[in-house]
Amino acid sequence: MKKVMFICKRNSCRSQIAEGFARTLGAGKIAVTSSGLEASRVHPTAIQVMDEIGIDITNQTSDPLSDFQAEDYDAVISLCGCGVNLPEDWVMQEVFEDWQLDDPDGQPLETFHRVRDEIKVRVQTLIDSLS
């Protein structure tokens, strides 16, 4: 089973949504973790828009990337264009992608919905390519 790390700046919105989708859509196919260049909190609106489609991310935590080792992961996905700020060993894994999705934090609910739906499509494509 391939191990995937989703990384964002604060591990609050995009990476948490991606982790929720990957855990649900990729159950039994991939193992998934998310982290941030810095830890913060799981954004309440991210929890809300995932709950609307039946995915509960309330038990996920916001963790700093420094808690993890790059060599433990097969695929590393940056969701915010922060790939340029990652330590080199993270960018050098078997699969590295930088999705550069809009940050919904502080934006209207419609932005959260759009970004959530974009993440779902990308996560499904990722799962298909890894499994």
Side-chain angles (χ1 to χ4, degrees):
M1 187 177 319
K2 299 281 188 183
K3 292 182 72 180
V4 178
M5 172 64 81
F6 291 106
I7 305 172
C8 222
K9 288 184 182 91
R10 292 180 306 277
N11 192 211
S12 175
C13 296
R14 292 164 288 187
S15 51
Q16 295 290 347
I17 291 171
E19 180 180 349
F21 276 127
R23 285 187 190 285
T24 304
L25 302 173
K29 299 176 188 170
I30 62 170
V32 61
T33 309
S34 72
S35 66
L37 295 175
E38 57 191 71
S40 58
R41 66 189 172 122
V42 182
H43 197 291
T45 310
I47 293 170
Q48 175 192 330
V49 299
M50 293 300 281
D51 187 58
E52 289 172 5
I53 56 169
I55 298 176
D56 181 3
I57 64 170
T58 55
N59 291 328
Q60 292 178 193
T61 57
S62 180
D63 303 299
L65 182 64
S66 56
D67 284 0
F68 304 95
Q69 300 298 318
E71 59 269 15
D72 293 338
Y73 295 89
D74 303 293
V76 177
I77 309 297
S78 162
L79 289 101
C80 60
C82 64
V84 295
N85 297 318
L86 295 178
E88 187 176 340
D89 51 341
W90 287 97
V91 180
M92 302 307 291
Q93 293 312 302
E94 179 183 333
V95 174
F96 175 79
E97 296 178 12
D98 203 336
W99 291 354
Q100 300 195 27
L101 297 163
D102 292 338
D103 185 355
D105 191 13
Q107 299 299 312
L109 191 58
E110 304 81 57
T111 304
F112 272 90
H113 287 140
R114 177 178 55 78
V115 171
R116 176 199 65 196
D117 296 344
E118 289 172 9
I119 291 171
K120 180 181 181 181
V121 171
R122 289 175 181 253
V123 166
Q124 186 62 65
T125 301
L126 177 69
I127 293 165
D128 293 344
S129 73
L130 293 175
S131 51

